[in-house]
Every structure is written in C-alpha cells, then in structure tokens.
Coordinates of all heavy atoms in Angstrom, one line a residue:
M99 N -1.6 72.2 92.6 CA -2.1 70.8 92.3 C -1.9 70.0 93.5 O -0.9 69.4 93.6 CB -1.3 70.3 91.0 CG -1.9 69.0 90.6 SD -1.1 68.3 89.0 CE 0.6 68.3 89.4
P100 N -3.0 69.9 94.3 CA -2.7 69.0 95.5 C -2.7 67.5 95.2 O -2.1 66.8 96.0 CB -4.0 69.4 96.3 CG -5.0 69.8 95.3 CD -4.2 70.4 94.1
S101 N -3.5 67.1 94.1 CA -3.3 65.5 94.0 C -3.7 65.4 92.5 O -4.3 66.2 91.8 CB -4.3 64.9 94.8 OG -5.7 65.2 94.6
I102 N -3.5 64.1 92.0 CA -3.8 63.7 90.6 C -4.2 62.3 90.7 O -3.8 61.4 91.6 CB -2.7 64.0 89.6 CG1 -3.2 63.7 88.3 CG2 -1.4 63.0 90.1 CD1 -2.2 64.1 87.2
K103 N -5.2 61.9 89.9 CA -5.8 60.5 89.9 C -5.1 59.7 88.8 O -5.1 60.0 87.7 CB -7.3 60.6 89.7 CG -7.9 59.3 89.9 CD -9.4 59.3 89.7 CE -10.2 58.1 90.1 NZ -11.6 58.3 90.0
C104 N -4.5 58.5 89.2 CA -3.9 57.7 88.4 C -4.9 56.9 87.6 O -6.1 56.8 88.2 CB -2.9 56.6 89.1 SG -2.2 55.4 88.1
S105 N -4.7 56.3 86.5 CA -5.5 55.5 85.8 C -6.2 54.3 86.5 O -7.2 53.8 86.3 CB -5.0 55.0 84.4 OG -4.5 56.0 83.6
C106 N -5.3 53.8 87.5 CA -5.7 52.7 88.4 C -6.8 53.1 89.4 O -7.3 52.3 90.2 CB -4.5 51.9 88.9 SG -3.8 52.8 90.4
G107 N -7.0 54.5 89.6 CA -7.9 54.9 90.5 C -7.2 55.6 91.8 O -7.9 56.1 92.6
T108 N -5.9 55.3 91.9 CA -5.1 55.8 93.1 C -5.0 57.4 93.0 O -4.7 57.8 91.9 CB -3.8 55.2 93.2 OG1 -3.9 53.7 93.3 CG2 -3.0 55.6 94.3
I109 N -5.2 57.9 94.2 CA -5.0 59.4 94.2 C -3.5 59.6 94.6 O -3.2 59.2 95.7 CB -6.0 60.1 95.2 CG1 -7.4 59.8 94.9 CG2 -5.7 61.5 95.3 CD1 -7.9 60.3 93.5
I110 N -2.8 60.4 93.9 CA -1.4 60.6 94.2 C -1.3 62.0 94.8 O -1.7 63.0 94.1 CB -0.5 60.5 92.9 CG1 -0.6 59.1 92.3 CG2 0.9 60.7 93.3 CD1 0.1 58.9 90.9
N111 N -0.8 62.1 96.0 CA -0.8 63.3 96.7 C 0.4 64.1 96.1 O 1.5 63.6 95.9 CB -0.5 62.9 98.2 CG -0.5 64.2 99.1 OD1 -0.5 65.3 98.6 ND2 -0.6 64.0 100.4
M112 N 0.1 65.3 95.9 CA 1.1 66.4 95.3 C 1.4 67.5 96.3 O 2.2 68.4 96.0 CB 0.6 66.9 94.0 CG 0.5 66.0 93.0 SD 2.1 65.5 92.3 CE 2.7 67.1 91.6
S113 N 0.9 67.4 97.5 CA 1.0 68.6 98.4 C 2.2 68.5 99.3 O 2.7 69.4 99.9 CB -0.2 68.7 99.3 OG -0.4 67.4 100.0
E114 N 2.9 67.3 99.5 CA 4.0 67.2 100.4 C 5.2 67.8 99.7 O 5.4 67.6 98.5 CB 4.3 65.8 100.6 CG 3.4 65.1 101.7 CD 3.7 63.6 102.0 OE1 4.8 63.5 102.7 OE2 3.1 62.7 101.6
I115 N 6.0 68.5 100.5 CA 7.3 69.0 100.0 C 8.4 68.7 101.0 O 8.3 69.1 102.2 CB 7.2 70.6 99.9 CG1 6.1 70.9 98.9 CG2 8.5 71.1 99.5 CD1 5.9 72.4 98.8
P116 N 9.4 67.9 100.6 CA 9.3 67.2 99.4 C 8.5 66.1 99.2 O 7.9 65.5 100.2 CB 10.9 66.6 99.3 CG 11.2 66.5 100.8 CD 10.5 67.5 101.6
N117 N 8.1 65.7 98.0 CA 7.1 64.9 97.6 C 7.6 63.5 97.3 O 8.5 63.3 96.5 CB 6.3 65.3 96.4 CG 5.0 64.4 96.2 OD1 5.0 63.2 96.6 ND2 4.2 65.1 95.5
P118 N 7.4 62.4 98.2 CA 8.0 61.1 98.0 C 7.4 60.4 96.8 O 8.0 59.4 96.4 CB 7.5 60.3 99.3 CG 6.4 61.1 99.7 CD 6.5 62.4 99.3
N119 N 6.4 60.9 96.1 CA 5.9 60.3 94.9 C 6.4 61.1 93.7 O 6.1 60.7 92.5 CB 4.4 60.6 94.8 CG 3.6 59.8 96.0 OD1 4.0 58.7 96.3 ND2 2.8 60.5 96.6
E120 N 7.2 62.1 93.8 CA 7.7 63.0 92.7 C 9.2 62.7 92.5 O 10.0 62.7 93.4 CB 7.4 64.4 93.0 CG 7.8 65.3 91.9 CD 7.4 66.7 92.1 OE1 6.6 67.0 93.0 OE2 8.0 67.6 91.5
W121 N 9.6 62.7 91.2 CA 10.9 62.6 90.8 C 11.1 63.8 89.6 O 10.1 64.2 89.0 CB 11.2 61.4 90.0 CG 11.2 60.1 91.0 CD1 10.0 59.6 91.5 CD2 12.3 59.4 91.5 NE1 10.5 58.4 92.3 CE2 11.8 58.3 92.4 CE3 13.7 59.6 91.3 CZ2 12.7 57.6 93.0 CZ3 14.6 58.7 92.1 CH2 14.0 57.8 93.0
L122 N 12.4 64.2 89.7 CA 12.6 65.4 88.7 C 13.5 64.8 87.6 O 14.5 64.2 87.9 CB 13.1 66.6 89.5 CG 12.3 67.2 90.6 CD1 13.0 68.1 91.4 CD2 11.0 67.8 89.9
L123 N 13.1 65.2 86.4 CA 14.0 64.8 85.2 C 14.5 65.9 84.5 O 13.9 66.9 84.3 CB 13.0 64.1 84.3 CG 12.1 62.9 84.8 CD1 11.2 62.4 83.7 CD2 12.9 61.7 85.3
I124 N 15.7 65.7 83.9 CA 16.2 66.7 83.1 C 17.0 65.9 81.8 O 17.6 64.9 82.1 CB 17.3 67.7 83.7 CG1 17.7 68.8 82.8 CG2 18.4 66.9 84.4 CD1 18.3 69.9 83.5
S125 N 16.9 66.5 80.7 CA 17.6 65.8 79.5 C 19.1 66.0 79.7 O 19.5 66.9 80.4 CB 17.1 66.3 78.3 OG 17.7 67.6 78.0
D126 N 19.8 65.1 79.1 CA 21.3 65.3 79.0 C 21.7 66.5 78.4 O 22.6 67.2 78.8 CB 21.9 64.0 78.5 CG 23.4 64.0 78.7 OD1 23.9 64.1 79.8 OD2 24.1 63.7 77.6
V127 N 21.0 66.9 77.3 CA 21.3 68.1 76.6 C 21.1 69.4 77.5 O 21.9 70.3 77.5 CB 20.5 68.2 75.3 CG1 20.6 69.6 74.6 CG2 20.8 67.1 74.4
E128 N 19.9 69.4 78.2 CA 19.7 70.5 79.0 C 20.7 70.6 80.3 O 21.2 71.7 80.5 CB 18.2 70.4 79.6 CG 17.1 70.7 78.6 CD 17.0 72.1 78.4 OE1 17.6 73.0 78.9 OE2 16.0 72.4 77.5
Y129 N 21.0 69.4 80.7 CA 21.9 69.4 81.9 C 23.3 69.9 81.5 O 24.1 70.5 82.2 CB 22.0 68.0 82.4 CG 22.9 67.9 83.7 CD1 22.4 68.4 84.9 CD2 24.1 67.4 83.7 CE1 23.2 68.4 86.0 CE2 24.9 67.4 84.8 CZ 24.5 67.8 86.0 OH 25.3 67.8 87.1
D130 N 23.7 69.6 80.2 CA 25.0 69.9 79.7 C 25.2 71.5 79.6 O 26.3 72.0 79.6 CB 25.2 69.3 78.4 CG 26.8 69.2 78.1 OD1 27.5 68.8 78.9 OD2 27.1 69.6 77.0
N131 N 24.1 72.2 79.7 CA 24.2 73.7 79.7 C 24.6 74.1 81.1 O 24.9 75.4 81.3 CB 22.9 74.2 79.4 CG 22.4 74.0 77.9 OD1 23.3 73.9 77.0 ND2 21.2 73.8 77.6
F132 N 24.6 73.3 82.1 CA 25.0 73.7 83.5 C 26.5 73.3 83.6 O 26.9 72.2 83.3 CB 24.1 73.2 84.5 CG 22.8 73.7 84.6 CD1 21.7 73.1 83.7 CD2 22.3 74.8 85.4 CE1 20.4 73.5 83.8 CE2 21.1 75.3 85.2 CZ 20.1 74.7 84.6
S133 N 27.2 74.1 84.4 CA 28.6 73.7 84.8 C 29.0 74.4 86.0 O 28.4 75.6 86.4 CB 29.6 73.9 83.6 OG 29.7 75.3 83.4
G134 N 29.9 73.9 86.8 CA 30.4 74.6 88.0 C 29.3 74.7 89.0 O 28.4 73.8 89.1
Q135 N 29.4 75.8 89.8 CA 28.3 75.9 90.8 C 27.1 76.5 90.1 O 27.2 77.3 89.3 CB 28.7 76.9 92.0 CG 29.9 76.4 92.8 CD 30.1 77.2 94.0 OE1 29.7 78.3 94.1 NE2 30.8 76.6 95.0
I136 N 25.9 75.9 90.4 CA 24.7 76.2 89.7 C 23.8 76.7 90.8 O 23.7 76.4 91.9 CB 24.2 75.0 88.9 CG1 23.9 73.9 89.9 CG2 25.1 74.6 87.9 CD1 23.2 72.8 89.1
D137 N 22.8 77.4 90.2 CA 21.6 77.9 90.9 C 20.6 76.8 90.9 O 20.0 76.4 89.8 CB 21.1 79.2 90.3 CG 19.9 79.8 91.0 OD1 19.2 79.1 91.7 OD2 19.8 81.1 90.9
S138 N 20.2 76.3 92.0 CA 19.3 75.2 92.1 C 17.9 75.6 91.5 O 17.2 74.7 91.0 CB 19.3 74.6 93.5 OG 18.7 75.6 94.4
E139 N 17.5 76.8 91.6 CA 16.3 77.3 91.1 C 16.2 77.1 89.7 O 15.3 76.8 88.9 CB 15.8 78.6 91.7 CG 15.2 78.6 93.0 CD 14.0 77.8 93.0 OE1 13.0 78.0 92.2 OE2 13.8 77.0 94.0
K140 N 17.4 77.6 89.1 CA 17.4 77.6 87.5 C 17.4 76.2 87.1 O 16.9 75.8 86.0 CB 18.7 78.3 87.1 CG 18.6 79.7 87.2 CD 19.9 80.5 86.7 CE 19.8 82.0 86.9 NZ 21.0 82.6 86.6
L141 N 18.1 75.3 87.8 CA 18.1 73.8 87.5 C 16.7 73.2 87.5 O 16.2 72.6 86.7 CB 19.1 73.0 88.4 CG 19.0 71.6 88.2 CD1 19.6 71.2 86.7 CD2 20.0 70.9 89.1
Y142 N 16.0 73.6 88.7 CA 14.7 73.1 88.9 C 13.8 73.5 87.8 O 12.9 72.7 87.3 CB 14.1 73.6 90.2 CG 12.8 73.1 90.6 CD1 12.6 71.9 91.2 CD2 11.7 74.0 90.4 CE1 11.3 71.5 91.5 CE2 10.4 73.5 90.7 CZ 10.3 72.2 91.3 OH 9.0 71.8 91.4
M143 N 13.9 74.7 87.4 CA 13.0 75.1 86.3 C 13.2 74.4 84.9 O 12.2 74.5 84.2 CB 13.3 76.7 85.9 CG 12.9 77.6 87.2 SD 11.2 77.4 87.8 CE 10.3 78.2 86.4
K144 N 14.3 73.8 84.8 CA 14.6 73.0 83.5 C 14.0 71.6 83.7 O 14.0 70.8 82.7 CB 16.1 73.0 83.1 CG 16.5 74.4 82.7 CD 15.9 74.9 81.4 CE 16.4 76.2 81.0 NZ 15.8 76.7 79.7
M145 N 13.7 71.2 84.8 CA 13.3 69.8 85.1 C 11.9 69.6 84.9 O 11.0 70.4 84.9 CB 13.6 69.5 86.5 CG 15.1 69.4 86.9 SD 15.5 69.1 88.6 CE 17.1 68.6 88.4
K146 N 11.6 68.3 84.4 CA 10.2 67.9 84.2 C 9.8 67.2 85.5 O 10.6 66.4 86.1 CB 10.1 66.9 83.1 CG 10.7 67.5 81.7 CD 10.0 68.7 81.2 CE 10.5 69.1 79.9 NZ 10.1 70.5 79.5
T147 N 8.6 67.1 85.8 CA 8.0 66.3 86.9 C 7.5 65.0 86.6 O 6.8 64.8 85.5 CB 6.8 67.2 87.5 OG1 7.3 68.4 88.1 CG2 6.1 66.3 88.6
M148 N 8.0 64.0 87.3 CA 7.5 62.6 87.1 C 7.0 62.2 88.4 O 7.5 62.3 89.5 CB 8.6 61.7 86.6 CG 8.2 60.3 86.4 SD 9.5 59.2 85.9 CE 10.3 58.9 87.5
L149 N 5.7 61.5 88.3 CA 5.1 61.0 89.5 C 5.1 59.5 89.4 O 4.9 59.0 88.3 CB 3.6 61.5 89.6 CG 3.4 62.9 89.8 CD1 2.0 63.4 89.8 CD2 4.1 63.5 91.1
V150 N 5.1 58.7 90.5 CA 5.2 57.3 90.6 C 3.9 56.9 91.3 O 3.8 57.3 92.5 CB 6.4 56.7 91.2 CG1 6.4 55.2 91.2 CG2 7.8 57.2 90.5
C151 N 3.1 56.1 90.7 CA 2.0 55.5 91.4 C 2.4 54.4 92.2 O 3.0 53.5 91.7 CB 0.8 55.1 90.5 SG -0.5 54.3 91.3
Q152 N 2.3 54.5 93.5 CA 2.8 53.4 94.5 C 2.0 52.1 94.4 O 2.5 51.1 94.8 CB 2.9 53.8 95.9 CG 3.8 55.2 96.1 CD 5.2 54.9 95.8 OE1 5.8 53.8 95.9 NE2 5.8 55.9 95.1
K153 N 0.8 52.3 93.9 CA 0.0 50.9 93.7 C 0.4 50.2 92.4 O 0.6 49.0 92.5 CB -1.4 51.2 93.7 CG -2.4 50.1 93.7 CD -3.8 50.5 93.8 CE -4.8 49.3 93.7 NZ -6.1 49.6 93.6
C154 N 0.3 50.8 91.3 CA 0.5 50.2 90.0 C 1.8 50.4 89.4 O 2.1 49.8 88.4 CB -0.7 50.4 89.0 SG -0.6 52.2 88.4
K155 N 2.6 51.3 90.0 CA 4.0 51.6 89.4 C 3.9 52.5 88.1 O 5.0 52.5 87.5 CB 4.9 50.5 89.5 CG 4.9 49.7 90.7 CD 5.4 50.6 91.9 CE 5.6 49.8 93.1 NZ 5.7 50.6 94.3
R156 N 2.8 52.9 87.7 CA 2.8 53.7 86.5 C 3.5 55.0 86.8 O 3.6 55.5 87.9 CB 1.3 54.3 86.2 CG 0.5 53.3 85.4 CD -0.9 53.9 85.0 NE -1.6 53.1 84.1 CZ -2.4 52.2 84.6 NH1 -2.6 52.1 85.9 NH2 -3.2 51.4 83.7
L157 N 4.1 55.5 85.6 CA 4.8 56.7 85.8 C 4.0 57.9 85.0 O 3.5 57.6 83.8 CB 6.2 56.6 85.0 CG 7.2 55.5 85.6 CD1 8.4 55.5 84.6 CD2 7.5 55.7 86.9
L158 N 3.7 58.9 85.7 CA 3.1 60.1 85.1 C 4.1 61.2 84.8 O 4.6 61.7 85.7 CB 1.9 60.5 85.9 CG 0.6 59.6 85.9 CD1 1.0 58.4 86.8 CD2 -0.5 60.3 86.6
I159 N 4.3 61.6 83.6 CA 5.4 62.6 83.3 C 4.7 63.8 82.6 O 3.9 63.6 81.7 CB 6.4 61.9 82.3 CG1 7.1 60.8 83.0 CG2 7.5 63.1 82.1 CD1 8.1 60.1 82.3
F160 N 5.1 64.8 83.2 CA 4.4 66.2 82.7 C 5.6 66.7 81.7 O 6.5 67.5 82.1 CB 4.3 67.2 83.8 CG 3.2 66.7 84.7 CD1 3.5 65.9 85.9 CD2 1.9 67.1 84.5 CE1 2.5 65.4 86.6 CE2 0.8 66.6 85.5 CZ 1.1 65.7 86.5
W161 N 5.5 66.4 80.4 CA 6.5 66.8 79.5 C 6.5 68.2 79.1 O 7.5 68.9 78.9 CB 6.3 66.0 78.2 CG 6.7 64.4 78.3 CD1 5.9 63.4 78.2 CD2 8.0 64.0 78.6 NE1 6.5 62.2 78.4 CE2 7.8 62.6 78.7 CE3 9.3 64.6 78.9 CZ2 9.0 61.8 79.0 CZ3 10.4 63.7 79.1 CH2 10.2 62.4 79.2
S162 N 5.2 68.8 79.1 CA 5.1 70.2 78.8 C 5.0 71.0 80.1 O 5.0 70.5 81.2 CB 3.8 70.5 78.0 OG 2.7 70.3 78.8
D163 N 4.9 72.3 79.9 CA 4.8 73.2 81.0 C 3.4 73.2 81.6 O 3.2 73.7 82.6 CB 5.2 74.6 80.7 CG 6.7 74.7 80.5 OD1 7.5 73.8 81.0 OD2 7.2 75.5 79.7
K164 N 2.5 72.6 80.8 CA 1.1 72.6 81.2 C 1.0 71.4 82.4 O 0.9 70.3 82.0 CB 0.2 72.2 80.1 CG 0.1 73.4 79.1 CD -0.7 72.9 77.8 CE -0.4 73.9 76.7 NZ -0.9 73.5 75.4
I165 N 1.0 71.9 83.6 CA 1.1 70.9 84.7 C 0.0 69.9 84.8 O 0.1 68.9 85.3 CB 1.3 71.7 86.0 CG1 1.9 70.9 87.1 CG2 -0.1 72.3 86.4 CD1 3.2 70.4 86.9
R166 N -1.2 70.2 84.2 CA -2.2 69.2 84.3 C -2.3 68.1 83.2 O -3.2 67.1 83.3 CB -3.6 69.9 84.3 CG -3.8 70.9 85.5 CD -5.2 71.4 85.6 NE -5.3 72.2 86.9 CZ -5.4 71.8 88.0 NH1 -5.4 70.5 88.3 NH2 -5.6 72.6 89.1
E167 N -1.4 68.3 82.2 CA -1.3 67.3 81.2 C -0.2 66.3 81.3 O 0.9 66.6 80.8 CB -1.3 68.0 79.8 CG -2.5 68.7 79.5 CD -2.4 69.4 78.2 OE1 -1.7 69.0 77.3 OE2 -3.3 70.4 78.1
A168 N -0.5 65.2 81.9 CA 0.6 64.2 82.2 C 0.5 63.0 81.1 O -0.6 62.7 80.8 CB 0.5 63.7 83.6
T169 N 1.6 62.4 80.8 CA 1.6 61.3 80.0 C 1.8 60.2 80.9 O 2.7 60.2 81.7 CB 2.7 61.3 78.9 OG1 2.5 62.5 78.1 CG2 2.7 60.1 77.9
S170 N 0.9 59.1 80.7 CA 1.0 57.9 81.7 C 1.7 56.8 81.0 O 1.4 56.5 79.8 CB -0.5 57.5 82.0 OG -0.5 56.4 83.0
Y171 N 2.6 56.1 81.7 CA 3.3 54.9 81.3 C 3.1 53.8 82.2 O 3.4 53.8 83.3 CB 4.8 55.3 81.2 CG 5.2 56.4 80.3 CD1 5.2 57.7 80.7 CD2 5.5 56.2 79.0 CE1 5.5 58.8 79.9 CE2 5.8 57.2 78.0 CZ 5.8 58.4 78.6 OH 6.2 59.6 77.8
K172 N 2.5 52.7 81.7 CA 2.2 51.5 82.5 C 3.3 50.5 82.2 O 3.8 50.3 81.2 CB 0.9 51.1 82.0 CG 0.4 49.8 82.8 CD -1.0 49.3 82.1 CE -1.4 48.1 82.7 NZ -2.7 47.5 82.2
L173 N 3.5 49.7 83.3 CA 4.6 48.5 83.2 C 4.0 47.6 82.3 O 2.8 47.3 82.2 CB 4.7 48.0 84.7 CG 5.5 48.6 85.7 CD1 5.6 47.9 87.0 CD2 6.9 48.9 85.2
E174 N 4.9 46.8 81.7 CA 4.6 45.7 80.8 C 4.2 44.7 81.7 O 4.6 44.5 82.7 CB 5.7 45.4 79.9 CG 6.1 46.3 78.8 CD 7.3 45.8 77.9 OE1 7.1 44.7 77.5 OE2 8.1 46.6 77.6
D175 N 3.2 43.7 81.1 CA 2.9 42.6 81.8 C 3.9 41.5 81.9 O 4.7 41.4 81.1 CB 1.5 42.0 81.2 CG 0.4 42.9 81.3 OD1 0.3 43.7 82.3 OD2 -0.5 43.0 80.3
Ligands
ZN287 ZN1 -1.8 53.7 89.6

C-alpha cells in the first residue's frame, strides 16, 4: 500500500520506513499478554496501524487485518 487518500484529498504516503505519518496501536489487554523480553515482530503483529493526515489531522485507523479498510476520525470543530 504505497499511499492512501484522506477524505480532505491529501495523499498520505505509506512507502517510507519508518513512516512519519504512521503510528502503531495496541490495546492494553493485548499488551498485557507480553512480559519480559519480547519479540518485536510478535508485538508488531498485534498492533493496529493508525495514519495521521498532516493537513486536516484526521486519524485513519485500520482496525481489522484488511489493510485497505480504514476508519476515519475527524477533529471536532
Ligand atoms: Zn486529511
């Protein structure tokens, strides 16, 4: 997925590694399954991807494993 289009029309680049537009999320319940030294790949696999549109500050979160289906959250006015 090289890029995704925000509702405001901005193209969010997904090709940079690490990606300055991307955040990784994990629930407290999922994180609690890890302890001590952990395998970063196993942790990564449990994380959800969140993108931040730098123009409108919308958050696009990929809640499911289907990488093309993001839920968009807009700032309140
Ligand atoms: Zn936007």
Side-chain angles (χ1 to χ4, degrees):
M99 185 172 57
S101 65
I102 187 168
K103 190 174 185 179
C104 178
S105 299
C106 76
T108 299
I109 304 297
I110 302 172
N111 187 346
M112 292 288 295
S113 59
E114 287 184 66
I115 300 175
N117 188 337
N119 300 313
E120 182 176 341
W121 294 74
L122 298 169
L123 309 173
I124 188 168
S125 74
D126 192 46
V127 172
E128 288 280 1
Y129 184 75
D130 202 48
N131 291 326
F132 291 90
S133 65
Q135 293 192 345
I136 58 172
D137 182 332
S138 61
E139 276 302 310
K140 287 181 181 174
L141 177 62
Y142 182 81
M143 295 305 290
K144 292 293 183 184
M145 292 175 163
K146 308 296 184 191
T147 295
M148 179 179 80
L149 300 176
V150 179
C151 176
Q152 298 302 323
K153 183 177 179 186
C154 72
K155 305 303 181 193
R156 273 188 180 87
L157 304 177
L158 287 74
I159 302 179
F160 296 86
W161 289 114
S162 73
D163 292 333
K164 297 172 186 168
I165 198 70
R166 294 195 179 279
E167 294 180 21
T169 303
S170 179
Y171 299 88
K172 184 182 175 187
L173 287 179
E174 292 185 42
D175 295 326

